[in-house]
């Protein structure tokens, strides 16, 4: 936005035979700048006007800016020694609106825990189906019996309040049993994704101080270094145990997020916060016994809490997704229809994939789905417009926001129309207080960016074993009463005129990759641990799909440096897949500012610093390979792509894979299961798989169908 400032304080000057006077160049109503402020002094007072581009600013916005500017000048004149950061431009009414009316309301403490809520529901509807996984299911009574039996075994191993138990299990009935068994024993669960590399799992277990592990027998050998007891879920059968449940103040789970210091940080959530969120989610989403909720997210992503606990506290049925349904958008939506899913809680990145297919008109949202909840990152405006054009307002679309430190969700709101800018994140949930504050801790005016700060009983205790970081992010505040704390999110938002909030970005370098928080500094720190790397930097850049991808800049200890493939494998052994960069750029040195900090703006574009040790991309040799290369380059937004490049090493992932399959099916006019892409991830391998599929398809046709396919006049 361009801004002009004019100071018409020059008096009229009269010379012999000549008069000089200021000319108003802005007269006539045309705005030469997006925003112009003109001031002049007359008889000891300042007068002025403001001119604005009506395509960018509403009259009420311009009036508000004038009111805030004059109010700020008046306060500065009244307190000339007060620092500018402590002066607020808001009127008393506006300040009350920002700090009280729009901040949400506090409510009483949670008196129950999630295990108690589930036990009460199991007593009411023991024969109702609680969890479904494929063709198998557990009733509420069966889930209660198996989880309390597991709790008894855990108690025998010393698990109780304030003890951490690792849970490593793929999505299955056993995973849900393990989850509720740990909570019923009074312990706090530490989710361990089986897809993580062993080194990462060991790091999380050690850092969290886990006293026991719950897993499957086939996964147990991966924890041979763990000194504590390992309980296999297949061996946890037994009689239900009557145990005292955890207190609301006891720890419920430890969830790790990326850390800017080079190590992940564990967020500590207690039962009171989890129960409060669960009750809010049941009310906000209207969850009831007839609902069927899809369990989509990994336990390592706190969106899983929004799927699991409200569902089983309200007597609904939790339906565990499988990998097969992710084969394509059409298959995913068709499966949701077959399973009569009513509530979908999706990462925004995957929702973007669905919308791309919905816009084609070839697929539709099942009639059973009444609400779709988005979270993890902000929806793209063009995808929102495409959604409403394809799906309308049925099902309801809800946008939610919440850092892990505020227990899953802090604000939520229904989206009723396409957004011209970013989608509003809704209103604070009951028991949550939010404010947009400037660097001095003052509320910001409408439309002005401010840091979102959250208070209320949904806040985490802090970070496990990190009192310094806890003290930095969780601060005492007088805004929410005596002894209250607020959490500084680092997220930049602005208030809309109706009190809604719009996400704008971050105050630091943290990014969202497929809905997961990623601190590029952590990736860079791990990468710098490679024996042939002297220093490294990692940044995020937009990909062709609209999502972000990570780029790594590497300075080798000596030439030639390690090839990109070696660096990629090094990180795969230590980090989750979503934290492994797609591109590695070799540089002689990292650009620095005058103060010695990394100069991110001076980092070269990927093409300028591409790894000089990389093998040149092998060109396609057949028409099928050439078509696949075009698809790869278009969807990944990069070139060249070679015959032997691994699609997933170049930045593809499970949420993006359905788009690749959809493009391949459209171009080659055949159905291809998603697993083929994972089994044949290079252009060369997939071309062979496509040719085999085409031959199989032709062999299954009758002579008449073959003739019609190749043309009647063909030999």
């Amino acid at each position: 936005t361009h801004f002009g400032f004019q100071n018409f304080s020059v008096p009229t000057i009269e010379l012999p035979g000549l008069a000089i006077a200021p000319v108003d160049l802005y007269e006539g109503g045309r705005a030469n700048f997006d925003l112009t402020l003109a001031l002049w002094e007359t008889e000891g007072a300042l007068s002025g006007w403001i001119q604005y581009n009506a395509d960018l600013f509403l009259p009420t916005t311009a009036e508000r800016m004038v009111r805030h500017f004059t109010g700020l000048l008046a306060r500065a004149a009244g307190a000339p020694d007060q620092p500018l950061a402590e002066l607020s431009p808001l009127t008393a009414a506006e300040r009350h609106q920002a700090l009280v009316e729009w901040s949400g309301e506090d409510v009483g403490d949670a008196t129950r825990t999630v295990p108690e809520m589930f036990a009460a529901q199991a007593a009411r509807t023991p024969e109702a189906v609680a969890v479904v996984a494929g063709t198998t299911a557990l009733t509420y009574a069966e889930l209660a019996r198996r989880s309390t039996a597991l709790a008894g075994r855990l108690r025998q191993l010393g698990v109780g309040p304030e003890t951490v138990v690792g849970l490593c299990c793929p999505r299955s009935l056993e995973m849900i049993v393990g989850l509720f068994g740990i909570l019923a024993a009074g312990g706090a669960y530490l989710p361990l994704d089986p897809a993580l590399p062993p080194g990462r799992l060991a790091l999380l277990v050690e850092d969290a101080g886990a006293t026991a592990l719950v897993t499957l027998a086939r996964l147990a050998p991966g924890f041979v270094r763990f000194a504590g007891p390992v309980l296999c879920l297949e061996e946890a059968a037994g009689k239900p145990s009557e145990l005292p449940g955890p207190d609301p103040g006891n720890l419920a789970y430890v969830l790790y997020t990326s850390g800017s210091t080079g190590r992940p940080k564990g967020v500590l959530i207690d039962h009171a916060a989890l129960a409060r969120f669960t009750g809010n989610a049941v009310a906000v989403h209207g969850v009831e016994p007839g609902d069927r909720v899809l369990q989509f997210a990994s336990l390592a992503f706190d969106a899983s809490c929004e799927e699991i606990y409200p569902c089983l506290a309200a007597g609904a049925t939790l339906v565990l997704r499988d990998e097969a349904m992710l084969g394509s958008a059409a298959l995913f939506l068709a499966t949701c229809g077959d399973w009569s899913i009513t509530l979908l809680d999706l990462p925004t990145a995957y929702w973007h994939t669905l919308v791309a297919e919905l816009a084609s008109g070839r697929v539709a949202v099942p009639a059973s789905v009444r609400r779709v909840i988005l979270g993890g990152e902000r929806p793209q405006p063009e995808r929102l417009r495409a959604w409403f054009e394809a799906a309308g307002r049925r099902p309801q679309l809800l946008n939610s926001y919440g850092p892990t430190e505020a227990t899953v969700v802090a604000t939520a709101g229904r989206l009723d129309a396409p957004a011209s800018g970013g989608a509003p994140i809704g209103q604070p949930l009951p028991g949550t207080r939010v404010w947009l504050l400037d660097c001095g801790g003052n509320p910001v005016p409408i439309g002005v960016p401010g840091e979102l700060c959250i208070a209320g009983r949904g806040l985490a205790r802090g970070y496990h074993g990190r009192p310094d970081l806890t003290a930095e992010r969780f601060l005492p505040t007088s805004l929410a009463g005596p002894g209250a704390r607020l959490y500084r999110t680092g997220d930049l938002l602005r208030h809309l005129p109706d009190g809604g909030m719009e996400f704008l970005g971050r105050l630091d370098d943290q990014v969202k990759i497929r809905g997961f928080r990623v601190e590029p500094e952590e990736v860079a720190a791990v990468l710098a641990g490679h024996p042939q790397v002297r220093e490294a930097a990692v940044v995020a850049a937009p990909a062709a799909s609209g999502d972000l991808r990570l780029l790594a800049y590497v300075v080798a200890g000596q030439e030639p440096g390690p090839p990109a493939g070696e660096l990629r494998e090094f990180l795969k052994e230590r980090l989750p897949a979503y934290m492994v960069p797609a591109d590695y750029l070799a540089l002689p040195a990292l650009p620095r500012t005058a103060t010695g900090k990394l100069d991110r703006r001076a980092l070269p574009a990927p093409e300028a610093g591409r790894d000089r040790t990389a093998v040149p991309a092998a060109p396609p040799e057949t028409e099928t390979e050439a078509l696949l290369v075009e698809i790869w380059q278009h969807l990944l937004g990069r070139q060249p792509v070679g015959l032997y490049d691994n699609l997933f090493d170049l930045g593809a992932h499970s949420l993006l894979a359905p788009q690749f399959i959809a493009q391949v099916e459209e171009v080659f006019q055949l159905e291809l299961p998603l697993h083929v892409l994972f089994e044949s991830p290079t252009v060369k391998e997939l071309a062979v798989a496509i040719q085999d599929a085409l031959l199989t398809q032709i062999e299954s046709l009758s002579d008449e169908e073959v003739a019609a396919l190749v043309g009647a006049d063909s030999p």
Side-chain angles (χ1 to χ4, degrees):
T1 299
H2 298 285
F3 176 78
F5 182 88
Q6 294 289 321
N7 185 353
F8 295 115
S9 59
V10 181
T12 298
I13 301 175
E14 294 186 1
L15 298 174
L18 178 66
I20 301 175
V23 176
D24 185 359
L25 298 177
Y26 293 87
E27 188 177 3
R30 182 179 181 275
N32 296 300
F33 294 95
D34 293 339
L35 187 66
T36 302
L37 173 67
L39 294 174
W40 60 89
E41 185 176 359
T42 55
E43 300 179 358
L46 284 176
S47 300
W49 48 255
I50 186 170
Q51 187 182 55
Y52 59 91
N53 185 338
D55 293 333
L56 300 177
F57 300 98
L58 294 172
T60 53
T61 303
E63 293 167 2
R64 186 167 56 248
M65 286 190 289
V66 170
R67 184 172 65 251
H68 290 161
F69 181 59
T70 56
L72 188 62
L73 292 178
R75 293 180 185 87
D81 296 330
Q82 191 171 0
L84 183 61
E86 297 178 7
L87 295 174
S88 174
L90 301 181
T91 65
E94 290 172 330
R95 184 177 178 85
H96 182 270
Q97 185 182 62
L99 294 181
V100 179
E101 296 175 21
W102 288 350
S103 69
E105 59 180 357
D106 208 350
V107 293
D109 289 326
T111 57
R112 294 196 301 170
T113 64
V114 164
E116 290 173 337
M117 297 165 78
F118 168 72
Q121 184 60 47
R124 287 192 294 269
T125 58
E127 299 308 314
V129 177
V131 189
V132 175
T135 58
T136 59
L138 290 176
T139 65
Y140 273 82
E142 290 168 337
L143 178 56
R145 178 184 60 78
R146 290 183 58 177
S147 61
T148 55
L150 174 62
R153 291 289 304 278
L154 289 171
R155 278 294 180 94
Q156 293 173 1
L157 298 176
V159 173
E162 302 303 313
T163 59
V164 177
V165 180
L167 176 60
C168 185
C169 187
R171 186 176 288 101
S172 59
L173 298 180
E174 288 77 15
M175 181 188 79
I176 304 300
V177 170
L179 199 63
F180 278 86
I182 295 170
L183 293 177
Y189 69 91
L190 166 69
L192 300 169
D193 191 337
L196 290 176
R200 184 73 169 189
L201 292 175
L203 173 63
L204 299 182
V205 169
E206 178 185 2
D207 190 82
T211 60
L213 285 173
V214 173
T215 186
L216 297 179
R218 63 182 175 84
L219 299 175
F223 296 98
V224 291
R225 291 187 176 182
F226 179 63
V230 177
L231 182 59
C232 296
L233 285 161
E234 300 95 328
E235 305 167 1
K239 295 182 179 180
S241 303
E242 294 293 335
L243 299 171
D247 292 330
N250 290 149
L251 191 64
Y253 64 83
V254 184
L255 201 153
Y256 276 80
T257 66
S258 183
S260 59
T261 61
R263 288 178 65 89
K265 52 184 184 290
V267 181
L268 305 172
I269 302 294
D270 63 27
H271 275 280
L274 181 59
R276 176 181 300 281
F277 162 73
T278 299
N280 280 336
V282 170
V284 169
H285 303 315
V287 187
E288 53 189 27
D291 277 316
R292 292 173 64 86
V293 181
L294 186 68
Q295 204 287 293
F296 186 99
S298 163
L299 287 186
F301 191 25
D302 62 358
S304 61
C305 297
E306 189 169 27
E307 298 164 340
I308 297 170
Y309 301 123
C311 174
L312 296 178
T317 299
L318 186 70
V319 183
L320 309 185
R321 75 162 171 87
D322 57 27
E323 295 305 313
M325 71 185 300
L326 298 182
S328 67
L331 181 57
F332 177 83
L333 293 171
T335 305
C336 287
D338 293 341
W339 292 351
S340 300
I341 299 299
T342 62
L343 283 173
L344 280 176
D345 196 335
L346 300 175
T348 305
Y350 186 71
W351 177 80
H352 285 158
T353 298
L354 292 183
V355 174
E357 289 301 305
L358 285 173
S360 70
R362 294 187 295 268
V363 298
V365 181
S368 62
V369 178
R370 65 174 179 84
R371 172 164 285 193
V372 177
I373 306 162
L374 304 182
E377 55 194 299
R378 55 180 167 179
Q380 297 170 5
E382 62 273 15
R383 298 296 171 91
L384 279 171
R385 288 190 289 271
W387 168 270
F388 285 108
E389 289 174 2
R393 289 165 178 78
R394 174 72 185 180
Q396 296 176 357
L397 188 65
L398 194 87
N399 193 28
S400 64
Y401 164 89
T404 302
E405 291 84 348
T407 313
V408 190
V409 172
T411 70
R414 181 174 171 178
L415 299 176
D416 290 314
S420 56
I425 64 169
Q427 305 300 322
L429 297 186
T432 301
R433 304 289 305 278
V434 300
W435 302 280
L436 301 185
L437 306 178
D438 62 18
C439 59
N442 298 307
V444 295
I446 293 172
V448 175
E451 182 180 11
L452 179 61
C453 297
I454 304 175
R457 293 176 175 85
L459 289 190
R461 292 182 183 177
Y463 301 108
H464 176 67
R466 299 292 302 276
D468 54 337
L469 187 58
T470 299
E472 177 185 329
R473 307 304 298 185
F474 294 85
L475 306 176
T477 180
S478 60
L479 295 176
R485 299 180 305 153
L486 63 76
Y487 168 66
R488 293 185 54 198
T489 66
D491 288 330
L492 201 62
L493 290 88
R494 65 177 179 180
H495 267 305
L496 302 175
D498 62 357
M501 292 176 289
E502 181 184 358
F503 183 88
L504 301 176
R506 289 286 301 175
L507 290 169
D508 55 21
D509 299 319
Q510 183 189 109
V511 294
K512 285 289 185 75
I513 304 292
R514 293 177 241 165
F516 288 92
R517 281 161 52 174
V518 174
E519 298 280 1
E521 291 88 347
E522 180 181 359
V523 184
V526 176
L527 187 56
H530 188 284
Q532 298 180 52
V533 174
R534 187 168 77 240
E535 56 181 345
V538 175
V539 299
S545 62
D547 301 320
L548 291 177
R549 63 172 178 165
L550 295 177
L551 306 175
Y553 296 84
V554 178
V555 178
Q558 59 182 17
E559 296 293 342
E566 180 180 328
L567 296 176
R568 188 179 291 113
E569 291 303 317
F570 178 81
L571 292 181
K572 282 182 178 180
E573 296 173 359
R574 294 161 175 81
L575 294 174
Y578 61 85
M579 294 180 68
V580 177
D583 287 300
Y584 299 79
L585 290 74
L587 297 178
L590 295 179
R592 302 285 180 180
T593 64
T595 58
K597 294 183 179 180
L598 176 68
D599 188 353
R600 296 181 180 275
R601 291 178 297 182
L603 289 169
E607 291 73 17
R610 189 168 298 282
D611 183 5
R612 295 186 295 274
T613 66
V615 178
E621 299 170 348
T622 67
E623 184 178 353
T624 299
E625 292 169 353
L627 290 171
L628 286 176
V629 166
E630 289 184 18
I631 295 173
W632 261 228
Q633 293 179 163
H634 170 68
L635 291 178
L636 291 174
R638 57 180 298 161
Q639 54 184 331
V641 171
L643 281 183
Y644 304 101
D645 287 336
N646 188 298
L647 174 66
F648 298 98
D649 287 344
L650 298 181
H653 48 80
S654 59
L655 297 184
L656 190 59
Q659 290 191 41
F660 285 86
I661 289 294
Q663 287 283 315
V664 169
E665 291 181 337
E666 182 177 353
V667 170
F668 294 97
Q669 293 297 297
L670 83 164
E671 292 186 4
L672 205 63
L674 181 64
H675 66 81
V676 172
L677 187 60
F678 291 90
E679 295 166 357
S680 306
T682 68
V683 171
K684 187 71 174 179
E685 293 170 331
L686 189 58
V688 173
I690 288 173
Q691 292 299 324
D692 290 344
L694 288 171
L695 286 174
T696 301
Q697 179 174 297
I698 292 174
E699 289 172 357
S700 66
L701 299 176
S702 65
D703 292 341
E704 293 77 8
E705 290 172 324
V706 172
L709 182 65
V710 301
D713 297 331
S714 299

